[in-house]
Amino acid sequence: MSAPSPHTHVEPAEARIAPKPRLRRFHQARWDEPLIFELTSPGERGVGVPVPDLPVPDLPPGLRRAEAPALPEMSQPHVLRHYLRLSQENLGVDLNVDIGQGTCTMKYSPKINDAFVRDPRISELHPLQDESTVQGVLEILYRLEGLLKEISGMDRVSLQPGAGSSAIYANVTMIRAYHAARGEGDQRDEVITTQFSHPTNAAAPKTAGYKVITLMPDADGYPDIEALKAAVGPRTAALLITNPEDTGIFNPRIEEFVRIVHEAGGLCCYDQANANGILGITRARDAGFDLCHFNLHKTFSTPHACGGPAAGASAVTEALAPFLPRPTVEFDGSRYHLDDDRPESVGKIRPFYGVVSNLVRAYAWIMALGAEGLRDVAETAVLNNNYLIHKVLQIKGVSLPYAQGRRRIEQARYSWEQLNADTGIHSEQIGYRVSDFGTHYWTSHHPYLVPEPMTLEPTESYSQADLDEYAAILAEVAREAYEDPETVRTAPHNGPIHQMKGESLDDPGTWAVTWRAYQRKLA
Amino acid sequence: MKVGLVVNPVAGVGGRVGLKGSDSPEVQQQAFALGAVARAGERAATALRELLARRPDAAILTAAGAMGEESARAAGLTPMVVYVPGEPTSAADTVAAARTLAPHVDLLLFAGGDGTARDILEAVGDSLPVLGIPTGVKMHSAVFAVNPRAAGEVAASSSSSSRLRDAEVVDRVDGTTQLFGHLRVPDIPTRVQQRKTGSSGITPDAVSGIAAELADLLTPGELLVLGPGTTTRAIAAAWGVDIPVLGVSVLADQTLVAADVSGDELLKLVTATPARIAVTPIGGQGFLLGRGNQQLTPEVLRRVGLDRLHVVATEAKIAALGGRPLLVDTGDDRLDAAFPRYLRVISGHRRTILYPLHSERH
């Protein structure tokens, strides 16, 4: 055992169990790094390709470029250095306590699952290989489908969707195909959703050609059931609803919602992108739903899309199974195969098998936990949330609107309305200041029905010490708001850049999300 | 930056002693007799302190004494006094002070309520950006910051390049709420309706979506009666039609047929030609009919039919109602009772919000 450093001191036993959180003295790197296109150095190359000894035939004219691609010319170390520097200016998911990304279900993506994906038996597969040579990966997909059937209670699952929104869109196209097959496609042109459901539940059906009706929350924060009764009718194609909603409030009348829609002839589609609080506790099928979807990058731990490809899964009852995207993975008792001969299918929504790398990760995660482990995930996530609620509500200026006295499930939408009235500080400014302590917080909860909102979602990945640290950061920022508001107002102080002018984010005319767009807008 | 300040020293005195406003000298006397204390000057000073903390370079131009000078001094400033009011001060002093300040300042702050907002509207119209420090009893107008501190914050962050929005000035007169016009108010995203971090979805898109939805509903030649308001005006603007914010206008095939029509003229028009009506609730308050759009008479509404009356509002406007129901008061109880309990508010192209409506008869 090494000698104690000057900074260690012995604490009483109970303090070692839950030590007083220490606020980090964090400062992020600042590299003042140009865009990669601005780093170009004519003639510089990453790989020096030798001149071939033998004559190389010219490409056919149709395959030849008229001019060289406008790419930056750089050596390998320059490229590596550029991206490492950028990564140091990020608050990445493995770097911080991501509780403040409420609604995103941030959790640890176990690194061992990356090892499975990097294994040549997965990474070296080619999507055009003959089925007889990919029996192993087809078996994984088939077995993952079986697990998700059990978790949802549904009869069939498609692993084709590329992400959560892709899965919702796939579900909407199946709803459309179902009504069309029954001769009611033209008549049923309305989809109902709720204000606190994920916004894709409005966006996907609208993109698919439906008219979208949004129900507002009632005084307790539940979707207004009287409004639902007024909304349904012979034009209702479906209800798309999240539960628990983004407020963390579970709708105890969900079966009544389903009944009302079914009686009108509509289908019910459960957004279980985030099933983290209900795994092994309740299932979409048990509440009467016809379809649901999962984001494998939320509940099932695979990386979120911004860090790579995401993956979704659509689950349906037998009545909707004929419409599933093709191909499906089938098993005849001895061999696995892809079934592309599905005449009523809504068609292909992706090439090949789906996002196999994430499907393998999700399969490994579920298998490692087992059925009881999944339930532990949900119970821990709910316990974490209610522990954090207890801590956060002790902070001056914060409140938890709606459904007083009712427990939240896996997340909670708080309000800094009182703190704002007292100090003039906004939720968004609190978020900037929180980043000075090396952690993340976002406020994208629009429109702001809850004034000055903050949504915290402490999934099962976070320890009690993590929760205590996050609550301590919030308490410190709230204290500053009351005693030293200037520090909060001018935050961030420890980030790579200072405040952005928000207005430019609101104006598509000033955006440039690509180099080409930037060049066009400069001109 | 130069900021003008006009304080209505008696704004709000009625509220604290249970009176419904402070507009007349009699009410003010009664309020003071009941023990009311004027707080407007103190609240104005709070706003100035916030402004000064953020913009130490701000110069304050104001009126003498309780109409602004005292608030500035309380905030630790030496203001430039450009107007001296009579004693006691009156609405005429508010108008005169605002007119004197307007040519010399970048932004005019005023402390008061709906009555003061009307005086400011009369004095300066849309000639410069204006912002209300809320100190009145009635504050239904959309020109006020949420609290005095927020007023200082918005003032500090506004500049000549700030976006402005048209904000309704409404006031209750003889028991009914009327729309008097619009002031130009700084539209500071972090302080008004919050922006979506890293994304768009702000008003111009939403309004063009509403316009597209109405265009889908209308058949060639069909009339579209547009009620007053900035939402309806923006819808017309999306079609390249300029309509007045206050009156009721009539369009057909996305061109103007008549502006500022009376109830009788409107009845003739909708009797001769099939029509639809689009109205928007008064911001923050929810009145759809019977406030500022009495040209939409019960006869006109019956002739067109309630199923052809469309409510239009952006999501942000609906959110700003804070759950309060929509309200109708057409002056015809039976017609009010015929409205459904929930209305489909058009919030975008193929997007509606089902929102509760309250009438006295429900």
Side-chain angles (χ1 to χ4, degrees):
Chain A
M1 197 178 145
S2 60
S5 82
H7 299 291
T8 56
H9 59 276
V10 178
E11 296 196 57
E14 62 271 32
R16 280 204 301 277
I17 294 164
K20 187 171 165 24
R22 182 179 58 88
L23 295 177
R24 275 166 221 285
R25 296 181 59 192
F26 163 82
H27 203 299
Q28 205 151 15
R30 175 176 175 147
W31 287 102
D32 205 14
E33 186 70 3
L35 297 173
I36 195 164
F37 283 90
E38 294 168 330
L39 290 169
T40 190
S41 163
E44 198 172 306
R45 288 289 180 275
V47 181
V49 182
V51 177
D53 297 335
L54 300 170
V56 179
D58 279 346
L59 285 172
L63 292 179
R64 268 182 255 156
R65 280 179 172 275
E67 25 186 300
L71 295 172
E73 300 177 70
M74 295 175 75
S75 69
Q76 288 189 25
H78 284 157
V79 173
L80 187 63
R81 207 178 291 155
H82 173 72
Y83 285 108
L84 275 175
R85 286 172 176 173
L86 292 186
S87 76
Q88 291 188 344
E89 296 186 316
N90 257 327
L91 266 180
V93 64
D94 286 338
L95 195 61
N96 83 111
V97 179
D98 241 341
I99 289 169
Q101 289 251 62
T103 78
C104 292
T105 318
M106 304 308 291
K107 61 170 69 178
Y108 179 60
S109 302
K111 297 309 158 203
I112 190 172
N113 296 343
D114 295 345
F116 298 141
V117 171
R118 280 197 300 269
D119 186 295
R121 284 169 290 180
I122 295 292
S123 65
E124 296 297 311
L125 291 179
H126 193 284
L128 289 176
Q129 268 176 256
D130 189 81
E131 269 172 18
S132 65
T133 66
V134 291
Q135 287 293 301
V137 75
L138 290 179
E139 182 180 352
I140 290 176
L141 302 188
Y142 187 83
R143 292 172 68 136
L144 177 59
E145 179 183 331
L147 296 172
L148 294 175
K149 275 157 58 175
E150 189 58 38
I151 290 167
S152 63
M154 295 293 177
D155 298 320
R156 280 307 303 260
V157 171
S158 170
L159 300 172
Q160 290 278 326
S165 296
S166 168
I168 296 179
Y169 191 82
N171 283 350
V172 171
T173 59
M174 284 189 268
I175 289 164
R176 192 171 56 191
Y178 172 87
H179 289 304
R182 294 160 59 93
E184 292 185 343
D186 292 337
Q187 168 201 326
R188 296 193 180 273
D189 64 350
E190 291 178 351
V191 163
I192 302 165
T193 186
T194 69
Q195 185 67 50
F196 283 135
S197 288
H198 191 280
T200 304
N201 290 292
K206 195 189 149 184
T207 307
Y210 283 106
K211 295 175 180 168
V212 178
I213 303 164
T214 302
L215 309 182
M216 301 299 276
D218 66 15
D220 282 328
Y222 299 113
D224 187 339
I225 199 163
E226 295 305 317
L228 176 71
K229 290 176 187 164
V232 295
R235 295 178 66 177
T236 303
L239 169 73
L240 269 63
I241 192 167
T242 309
N243 190 34
E245 293 190 294
D246 285 352
T247 49
I249 300 170
F250 189 87
N251 180 354
R253 297 167 84 176
I254 193 71
E255 287 177 285
E256 206 177 335
F257 274 66
V258 170
R259 182 182 54 75
I260 290 166
V261 174
H262 278 167
E263 282 174 5
L267 294 170
C268 293
C269 185
Y270 218 172
D271 179 339
Q272 303 218 305
N274 175 3
N276 217 42
I278 57 173
L279 280 176
I281 294 166
T282 176
R283 308 192 303 176
R285 182 63 169 280
D286 301 341
F289 280 82
D290 306 289
L291 312 88
C292 73
H293 90 279
F294 298 107
N295 288 14
L296 300 184
H297 52 279
K298 287 190 170 182
T299 312
F300 299 100
S301 92
T302 76
H304 277 62
C306 298
S314 289
V316 300
T317 59
E318 201 57 57
L320 284 138
F323 309 110
L324 280 170
R326 66 184 169 82
T328 53
V329 181
E330 306 291 343
F331 182 54
D332 65 9
S334 63
R335 303 200 60 79
Y336 297 93
H337 71 281
L338 291 170
D339 181 8
D340 241 327
D341 181 23
R342 301 181 64 81
E344 292 189 89
S345 164
V346 295
K348 276 191 186 296
I349 60 173
R350 277 185 71 85
F352 309 117
Y353 299 38
V355 185
V356 168
S357 59
N358 281 339
L359 301 177
V360 169
R361 286 186 179 96
Y363 178 72
W365 189 81
I366 295 170
M367 291 302 288
L369 283 162
E372 285 176 14
L374 291 182
R375 192 178 168 112
D376 279 349
V377 164
E379 289 178 351
T380 308
V382 175
L383 182 65
N384 275 1
N385 186 39
N386 285 282
Y387 175 79
L388 190 63
I389 289 171
H390 176 74
K391 302 276 285 191
V392 170
L393 289 182
Q394 294 171 29
I395 299 171
K396 186 178 180 188
V398 74
S399 63
L400 187 62
Y402 296 129
Q404 297 306 315
R406 298 293 300 266
R407 280 206 195 286
R408 300 303 189 265
I409 307 296
E410 85 300 1
Q411 60 185 321
R413 182 156 297 172
Y414 303 84
S415 173
W416 291 108
E417 187 176 26
Q418 185 60 47
L419 179 134
N420 174 253
D422 293 341
T423 69
I425 295 294
H426 300 289
S427 178
E428 195 166 313
Q429 293 169 323
I430 290 172
Y432 290 145
R433 183 60 180 148
V434 162
S435 76
D436 280 339
F437 296 93
T439 186
H440 192 263
Y441 172 117
W442 82 328
T443 55
S444 181
H445 311 313
H446 299 73
Y448 278 7
L449 287 187
V450 171
E452 304 295 341
M454 163 176 76
T455 307
L456 305 182
E457 186 182 9
T459 62
E460 76 286 357
S461 291
Y462 300 104
S463 68
Q464 187 180 9
D466 291 339
L467 304 182
D468 288 343
E469 179 183 351
Y470 202 88
I473 292 169
L474 291 177
E476 173 64 8
V477 175
R479 185 195 64 76
E480 287 177 343
Y482 279 98
E483 295 173 13
D484 178 18
E486 204 51 31
T487 297
V488 182
R489 191 174 290 129
T490 52
H493 304 285
N494 304 343
I497 57 168
H498 199 57
Q499 289 178 357
M500 291 187 298
K501 289 242 185 262
E503 285 173 46
S504 61
L505 294 175
D506 295 337
D507 178 13
T510 62
W511 291 348
V513 295
T514 66
W515 174 252
R516 270 195 224 174
Y518 178 58
Q519 295 298 311
R520 270 201 309 276
K521 286 179 181 178
L522 274 187
Chain B
M1 82 183 293
K2 289 182 184 153
V3 177
L5 173 69
V6 179
V7 176
N8 172 3
V10 295
V13 295
R16 301 225 160 208
V17 289
L19 302 173
K20 293 210 173 78
S22 324
D23 288 347
S24 72
E26 294 75 33
V27 171
Q28 291 156 19
Q29 276 175 15
Q30 193 187 346
F32 286 122
L34 287 166
V37 179
R39 302 281 302 277
E42 185 186 317
R43 290 169 72 85
T46 302
L48 290 185
R49 272 185 215 106
E50 191 74 20
L51 166 62
L52 198 65
R54 289 149 183 267
R55 293 286 290 264
D57 62 318
I60 305 298
L61 283 68
T62 187
M67 280 194 68
E69 183 188 1
E70 288 170 9
S71 301
R73 290 192 188 283
L77 283 156
T78 307
M80 193 182 295
V81 175
V82 299
Y83 177 82
V84 179
E87 186 64 42
T89 61
S90 69
D93 287 312
T94 303
V95 173
R99 281 207 178 119
T100 309
L101 287 165
H104 306 294
V105 296
D106 305 310
L107 171 73
L108 180 63
L109 287 174
F110 72 92
D114 286 333
T116 320
R118 284 171 59 192
D119 295 335
I120 298 291
L121 176 69
E122 182 192 332
V124 303
D126 59 2
S127 65
L128 82 163
V130 166
L131 182 67
I133 304 166
T135 65
V137 179
K138 305 164 292 170
M139 287 179 290
H140 300 305
S141 302
V143 301
F144 297 101
V146 295
N147 54 43
R149 199 189 288 272
E153 184 187 341
V154 172
S157 48
S158 70
S159 69
S160 56
S161 63
S162 292
R163 278 187 289 193
L164 301 175
R165 66 185 167 90
D166 286 328
E168 292 117 339
V169 175
V170 298
D171 195 10
R172 281 185 74 77
V173 178
D174 302 329
T176 65
T177 303
Q178 293 176 22
L179 177 64
F180 285 87
H182 294 76
L183 285 167
R184 303 285 289 160
V185 173
D187 188 9
I188 306 295
T190 54
R191 207 60 190 104
V192 192
Q193 178 59 39
Q194 302 271 352
R195 75 186 164 79
K196 176 157 184 151
T197 311
S199 182
S200 70
I202 304 302
T203 316
D205 289 351
V207 169
S208 65
I210 296 171
E213 182 65 20
L214 287 176
D216 280 359
L217 288 168
L218 291 162
T219 53
E222 194 173 24
L223 298 182
L224 176 64
V225 179
L226 285 176
T230 49
T231 308
T232 42
R233 187 173 193 225
I235 289 165
W239 296 326
V241 179
D242 187 30
I243 61 169
V245 260
L246 280 188
V248 171
S249 305
V250 183
L251 283 72
D253 303 317
Q254 300 183 13
T255 54
L256 189 65
V257 173
D260 273 330
V261 290
S262 69
D264 288 345
E265 289 164 338
L266 200 51
L267 188 58
K268 277 184 201 143
L269 282 167
V270 302
T271 304
T273 314
R276 291 177 185 272
I277 300 173
V279 292
T280 190
I282 294 180
Q285 188 203 55
F287 263 109
L288 279 183
L289 291 166
R291 300 290 183 272
N293 57 9
Q294 282 89 341
Q295 303 94 317
L296 299 169
T297 60
E299 294 72 31
V300 168
L301 294 166
R302 285 181 193 284
R303 177 71 65 182
V304 174
L306 293 188
D307 57 326
R308 296 163 69 82
L309 172 80
H310 305 285
V311 182
V312 294
T314 60
E315 262 194 359
K317 191 173 196 178
I318 291 296
L321 291 175
R324 286 188 295 279
L326 299 172
L327 303 165
V328 294
D329 178 15
T330 62
D332 177 334
D333 286 350
R334 287 181 59 199
L335 185 62
D336 289 355
F339 276 83
R341 282 277 285 118
Y342 289 87
L343 286 178
R344 291 189 178 194
V345 178
I346 297 173
S347 59
H349 189 218
R350 303 177 81 84
R351 294 284 312 259
T352 53
I353 294 170
L354 208 62
Y355 202 80
L357 176 132
H358 176 81
S359 86
E360 294 303 326
R361 313 293 290 186
H362 279 145

